[in-house]
Structures are given as structure tokens and as C-alpha cells.
């Protein structure tokens, strides 16, 4: 036993030495690019948004040599994730062809936990929650993706280093949290006695998860490093959300949220296909929602997303495919939602239609609308609007196309800082520097963080050890669910007493 303890101590010391050496080697360069990497610039005046090129210009990539891709479709296929060249975690997400479909998970702890009061006071934009970013997004019109990709046709795109300017200052764990922007739909479902109407609200919630992506085709989120976490406690919305990167190869992000009315969880991974002029993102995983008041357990899949005009012109995103929503505890009805694929001969895009069907096959409710605008149910002559997207904030084109909810996700105020684990995304320096407009410093820190991850992985492999997520566990069907410790640790004794890994 004492030998095992000594070995564990040696590993921790070695990892700390790796981090210390990385910081020393990088300190001179960082002093030039960013005098303060992790401290909030609370003493500085807010940097107002300056004049920036239009969203169309930002999304426009050089159109040189695109005729080559007009002639044929090219698939950048995935290869083994071993012998990695770079943990750049870049592009839309890592590619993996050897990922199997998740089974539905019934193994979840629905424990109720007390909400810890957290003040949300910010000064940058002179309001409780900020309405702008510290700096506008960079102009990426001079970045040629063709020059980056032309030597990597047929290779694993996850090994291709992408400039940090192509990122947005949010990561995948925060993107998953954005699916809760319209959580009030689940609150309404939890107070609706009729099971068919409850399904209508759950369906609207599933559709609303795509609304924030409409203006986001021009950039990609940071991919979390292994062990990275993110939390979002929203007293105004009544939910507590936390998430963790539980696997790096393949990249898997797990999240959990709960409120007095619902429990929400999922673990997601993505398989990408690059077709020359467009990229398909195929999500693999299952979304779960339980409504304890009715013992409902809803599950559904996600549809395929596609980013068009990757190499030239204005990029735009669409979602297509079918979502099937089932209640595992009651088969009285199910829901089918169809996201319509755009057609060259039709001016209608982003349309959805669907229906709630009882167990005898009869349609009880019909849906129609657009995933980025609104959803109606009923008949075309007398429709009822069940969900409508929130208006976009002022100058959203200069803020990566973020919604107001997205603008708030990376805020870090003094009251929240002391309650977060050291692994929380808001402490990540490369993402913070990009948000502040320091692309040179962000790129430098991004490379340093990726190197630290490679070193940690090497240490584990040399000692024949595996990484074990701290706040999630594998269920009997291999899906990732909360182990019930995050929110308890947050309030007693607190994360400051944990021996957290050094991620950056």
C-alpha cells in the first residue's frame, strides 16, 4: 500500500514539474503578449466594440482553387487516434470513425441537491450580466483553409492544426449548456398534466437547442482538454448545470443539469465528414430528460448538422434529419420531428415539421416552423406558437454571433471565482485571451496547453494508468452519468481542498 502511495506521489510531482517547466519556457513570450494570463482585467476600463468587418466578411474564406472541390467530393477520413501529432483539438470537433452508438441509459441518480446562492455581478458592460464581449471577434478573411487542408486530404482532420482565430471564446462544454437557454419549456412540461401536451413542450425544447447555432457557422468552439469542467448555476432559470470532458480519444463531453422540475443529462461525441465544400457533423449520443412529477423519462437523438461554403463565400449552417422522442416510462405517445434539408429549387430553408402520435398511430398534435425562429402546433389556419427564439443582442455580428445567453457563459466575477474548481473553463488562458482580443497570446497559450495534455497522457501511459473522470461515471450501458458529487463538493467542503490536475 505504501509503495502505491509513493508511486502516486511521484506521478503528481512529475506532472507538477512538467507544468512548471512549461510555464518557465513560456513566460518570456507571454510577458510580451499578455502581462496577466489568468487574472481578470477588472481594473481596466471596458474595451468598447470597435468598427469591425461585417459578419459576411468574417465568414468569407479565400475562394482560391475551390474549382478542385467542385469537381469531386473528398472525404477526410478518420484514422487511429494513437501516435497523435497534435492535440490541437481543432476544427469543429475531433473525427472518429470507430465510435459506436450509445444505448439509452436508465441508470441515473436523480438526487435533489440544494442550490448554492451565487451572485452574478459584472461591471464590464454596466449591468448585472454583460451584454457584450471585451473585444470584437477577429477578421479571419485572410486565413486560407485551402492552404491548411490541401496537404491533408485523406488524413485524420483532428491532427490538423487550425489557427486560434477560427475559434470562438467558448468551448464544447459551454456549447452543451446553451441547450438549456429555453429551459422554461421543461418547467412548463413539468406542470402540464396532459401527457400529449407535455410531449409538445419537450419537443419544443429539443428544437430550441439548435437556435443559437444560426449565426455561428463562422467559428468553432474550443475542444476541452481531458478533465476540464464547466458549471453554470442560474438562479434566475432555476437550474444547476455542470459538465466534464471525460474522454479525449474519442472526445466525449458529459453534462448534467437539474432543477426542482427536471433533470437533464447527456454525453456527446461527434463524427465529422469533410466533403470539400461543406462539412457534416454527426452527433452520437442520447439526450435524457426526466420530469419527476410524472415519472417521465424522455430520450431523443440529435440530427446531422452541415456547414456550407467551408472554403469560399459566406458560410451557413443547416440541420437535417429526424428526431424521435420517446418516454421510456410511458408508451402512451411518441414524437417525430423532421428537420428539412434545403433544396436548390426551393427558397424555404431551416424548416421543421413533426407530430405527436399516440400508441395506436393516430396523430394528436402537429408541428411546423423554423428551428432558428419559432415552433407552432395546431393547424395552419389556427396555429399556436409554443416557442420563439429570443432576439439577438446588439452588435452580435462582432461578438461571434453569440446570443445573450452565450455572452454570459464565460463571465468570471469575484464571487463565482472562489467557488469554482481550478479545472473550470473560465480559468483557461487561451480562451480568455481570445475573448479579450489577444489572438497572439491565445495561440501561444493554446499550444502550451495542448503540450501539457500530451505530457500528462505520456505519464499515464508510461505507468500503465488510465484517466478517471472526477464527477461522472460510466453506467451499465457505457453512457456517462453524474456520480452525484459535484454539487455536494461545491458547497461542502469546497473545491479548494481538492487536489486538482494542472490543466493550464
Amino acid at each position: 500500500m505504501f509503495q502505491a502511495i509513493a508511486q502516486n506521489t511521484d506521478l503528481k510531482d512529475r506532472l507538477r514539474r512538467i507544468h512548471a517547466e512549461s510555464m518557465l519556457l513560456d513566460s518570456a513570450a507571454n510577458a510580451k503578449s499578455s502581462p496577466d494570463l489568468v487574472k481578470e482585467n477588472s481594473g481596466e476600463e471596458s474595451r468598447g466594440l470597435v468598427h469591425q468587418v461585417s459578419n459576411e466578411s468574417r465568414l468569407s474564406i479565400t475562394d482560391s482553387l475551390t474549382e478542385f472541390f467542385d469537381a469531386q467530393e473528398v472525404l477526410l477520413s478518420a484514422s487511429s487516434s494513437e501516435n497523435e501529432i497534435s492535440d490541437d483539438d481543432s476544427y469543429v470537433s475531433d473525427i472518429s470513425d470507430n465510435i459506436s452508438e450509445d444505448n439509452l441509459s436508465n441508470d441515473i441518480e436523480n438526487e435533489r441537491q440544494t442550490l448554492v446562492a451565487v451572485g452574478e455581478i459584472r461591471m464590464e458592460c454596466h449591468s448585472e450580466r454583460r451584454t457584450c464581449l471585451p473585444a470584437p471577434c477577429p477578421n479571419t478573411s485572410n486565413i486560407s483553409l485551402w492552404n491548411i487542408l490541401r496537404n491533408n486530404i485523406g488524413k485524420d482532420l483532428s491532427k490538423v492544426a487550425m489557427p486560434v482565430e477560427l475559434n470562438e471564446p467558448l468551448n464544447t462544454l459551454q456549447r452543451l449548456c446553451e441547450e438549456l437557454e429555453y429551459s422554461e419549456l421543461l418547467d412548463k412540461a413539468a406542470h402540464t398534466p396532459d401527457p400529449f401536451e407535455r410531449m409538445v413542450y419537450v419537443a419544443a425544447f429539443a428544437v430550441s437547442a439548435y437556435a443559437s447555432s444560426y449565426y455561428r457557422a463562422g467559428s468553432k468552439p474550443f475542444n476541452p482538454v481531458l478533465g476540464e469542467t464547466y458549471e453554470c448555476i442560474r438562479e434566475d432559470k432555476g437550474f444547476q448545470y455542470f459538465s466534464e470532458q471525460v474522454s479525449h480519444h474519442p472526445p466525449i463531453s458529459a453534462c448534467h443539469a437539474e432543477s426542482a422540475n427536471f433533470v437533464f443529462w447527456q454525453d456527446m461525441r461527434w463524427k465529422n465528414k469533410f466533403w470539400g465544400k461543406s462539412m457534416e457533423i454527426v452527433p452520437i449520443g442520447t439526450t435524457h430528460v426526466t420530469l419527476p412529477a410524472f415519472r417521465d423519462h424522455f430520450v431523443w437523438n440529435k440530427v446531422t448538422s452541415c456547414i456550407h461554403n467551408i472554403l469560399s463565400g459566406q458560410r451557413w449552417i443547416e440541420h437535417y434529419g429526424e428526431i424521435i422522442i420517446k418516454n421510456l416510462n410511458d408508451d402512451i405517445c411518441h414524437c417525430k420531428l423532421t428537420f428539412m434539408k434545403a433544396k436548390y429549387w426551393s427558397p424555404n430553408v431551416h424548416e421543421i415539421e413533426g407530430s405527436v402520435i399516440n400508441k395506436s398511430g393516430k396523430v394528436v398534435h402537429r408541428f411546423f416552423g423554423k428551428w432558428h425562429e419559432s415552433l407552432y402546433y395546431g393547424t395552419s389556419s389556427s396555429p399556436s406558437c409554443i416557442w420563439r427564439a429570443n432576439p439577438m443582442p446588439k452588435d452580435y455580428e462582432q461578438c461571434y454571433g453569440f446570443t445573450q445567453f452565450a455572452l454570459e457563459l464565460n463571465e468570471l466575477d469575484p464571487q463565482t471565482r472562489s467557488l469554482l474548481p481550478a479545472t473550470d473553463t473560465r480559468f483557461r488562458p487561451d480562451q480568455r485571451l481570445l475573448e479579450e482580443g489577444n489572438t497572439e497570446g491565445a495561440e501561444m497559450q493554446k499550444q502550451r496547453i495542448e503540450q501539457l495534455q500530451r505530457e500528462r497522457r505520456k505519464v499515464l501511459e508510461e505507468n500503465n494508468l488510465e484517466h478517471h473522470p472526477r464527477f461522472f461515471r460510466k453506467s451499465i450501458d457505457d453512457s456517462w452519468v453524474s456520480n452525484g458529487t459535484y454539487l455536494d463538493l461545491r458547497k461542502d467542503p469546497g473545491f479548494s481542498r481538492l487536489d486538482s490536475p494542472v490543466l493550464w
Side-chain angles (χ1 to χ4, degrees), residues 9-27:
T9 303
D10 290 342
L11 284 175
K12 290 179 180 178
D13 290 341
R14 184 175 174 187
L15 288 171
R16 288 192 179 100
R17 285 198 302 271
I18 289 169
H19 178 258
E21 290 170 1
S22 173
M23 291 294 290
L24 286 172
L25 290 172
D26 200 53
S27 60

Side-chain angles (χ1 to χ4, degrees), residues 1 28 74 143 145-146 153 212 243 262 319 341 343 376 395 431 485:
M1 180 182 72
V74 180
I143 298 177
L145 281 178
W146 166 248
I153 297 173
S212 66
S243 53
F262 65 85
H319 308 286
K341 191 171 185 177
K343 299 179 176 63
Y376 297 84
D395 298 320
Q431 187 171 309
T485 62

Side-chain angles (χ1 to χ4, degrees), residues 237-297:
K237 290 181 173 290
F239 70 74
Q240 308 164 95
Y241 167 96
F242 58 91
S243 53
E244 182 177 4
Q245 190 73 2
V246 295
S247 173
H248 182 58
H249 288 292
I252 303 175
S253 303
C255 67
H256 176 98
E258 58 185 66
S259 76
N261 297 319
F262 65 85
V263 181
F264 163 94
W265 74 94
Q266 61 181 328
D267 66 84
M268 279 292 153
R269 64 209 76 178
W270 293 263
K271 188 166 76 171
N272 295 353
K273 292 182 179 179
F274 179 62
W275 298 103
K277 296 179 67 175
S278 63
M279 170 167 284
E280 280 188 332
I281 304 107
V282 183
I284 298 174
T286 303
T287 303
H288 299 252
V289 166
T290 61
L291 303 179
F294 300 104
R295 299 190 67 254
D296 289 336
H297 183 169

Side-chain angles (χ1 to χ4, degrees), residues 403-420:
T403 63
Q404 177 57 41
F405 187 82
L407 284 171
E408 301 164 4
L409 291 176
N410 207 46
E411 285 185 278
L412 183 60
D413 62 82
Q415 291 174 296
T416 301
R417 178 191 291 270
S418 61
L419 297 171
L420 298 174

Side-chain angles (χ1 to χ4, degrees), residues 91-283:
Y91 221 48
V92 184
S93 62
D94 284 358
I95 300 176
S96 176
D97 280 340
N98 51 5
I99 302 173
S100 61
E101 291 284 351
D102 284 351
N103 296 321
L104 301 182
S105 169
N106 291 314
D107 182 15
I108 187 70
E109 299 174 10
N110 292 332
E111 64 276 353
R112 316 317 306 157
Q113 299 172 333
T114 304
L115 178 63
V116 178
V118 180
E120 296 285 353
I121 302 173
R122 292 292 287 175
M123 299 302 294
E124 283 86 352
C125 296
H126 309 289
S127 64
E128 288 189 359
R129 294 188 182 276
R130 67 183 184 184
T131 57
C132 61
L133 295 178
C137 55
N139 181 5
T140 61
S141 60
N142 62 333
I143 298 177
S144 172
L145 281 178
W146 166 248
N147 289 337
I148 298 171
L149 297 175
R150 61 180 176 179
N151 294 323
N152 295 283
I153 297 173
K155 297 181 182 179
D156 182 357
L157 202 58
S158 66
K159 305 274 196 303
V160 181
M162 294 288 172
V164 74
E165 290 94 333
L166 296 180
N167 284 17
E168 63 182 25
L170 290 176
N171 78 355
T172 302
L173 301 177
Q174 293 165 310
R175 274 281 189 105
L176 290 177
C177 185
E178 286 190 69
E179 296 183 19
L180 290 166
E181 178 173 356
Y182 301 95
S183 60
E184 62 270 15
L185 291 166
L186 295 181
D187 295 329
K188 291 179 181 177
H191 292 90
T192 302
D194 183 84
F196 301 103
E197 291 185 7
R198 282 205 304 278
M199 182 64 83
V200 169
Y201 284 114
V202 172
F205 174 77
V207 170
S208 73
Y210 295 89
S212 66
S213 66
Y214 184 70
Y215 295 102
R216 307 275 280 280
S219 56
K220 58 168 286 294
F222 281 83
N223 278 1
V225 297
L226 187 62
E228 188 169 344
T229 62
Y230 177 73
E231 75 162 53
C232 183
I233 309 295
R234 292 295 298 253
E235 290 180 305
D236 57 332
K237 290 181 173 290
F239 70 74
Q240 308 164 95
Y241 167 96
F242 58 91
S243 53
E244 182 177 4
Q245 190 73 2
V246 295
S247 173
H248 182 58
H249 288 292
I252 303 175
S253 303
C255 67
H256 176 98
E258 58 185 66
S259 76
N261 297 319
F262 65 85
V263 181
F264 163 94
W265 74 94
Q266 61 181 328
D267 66 84
M268 279 292 153
R269 64 209 76 178
W270 293 263
K271 188 166 76 171
N272 295 353
K273 292 182 179 179
F274 179 62
W275 298 103
K277 296 179 67 175
S278 63
M279 170 167 284
E280 280 188 332
I281 304 107
V282 183

Side-chain angles (χ1 to χ4, degrees), residues 66 81 115 126 181 256 262 281 305 315 350 354 373 439 443:
T66 54
S81 61
L115 178 63
H126 309 289
E181 178 173 356
H256 176 98
F262 65 85
I281 304 107
S305 302
R315 291 189 216 169
H350 312 311
E373 290 181 351
T439 56
E443 182 65 45

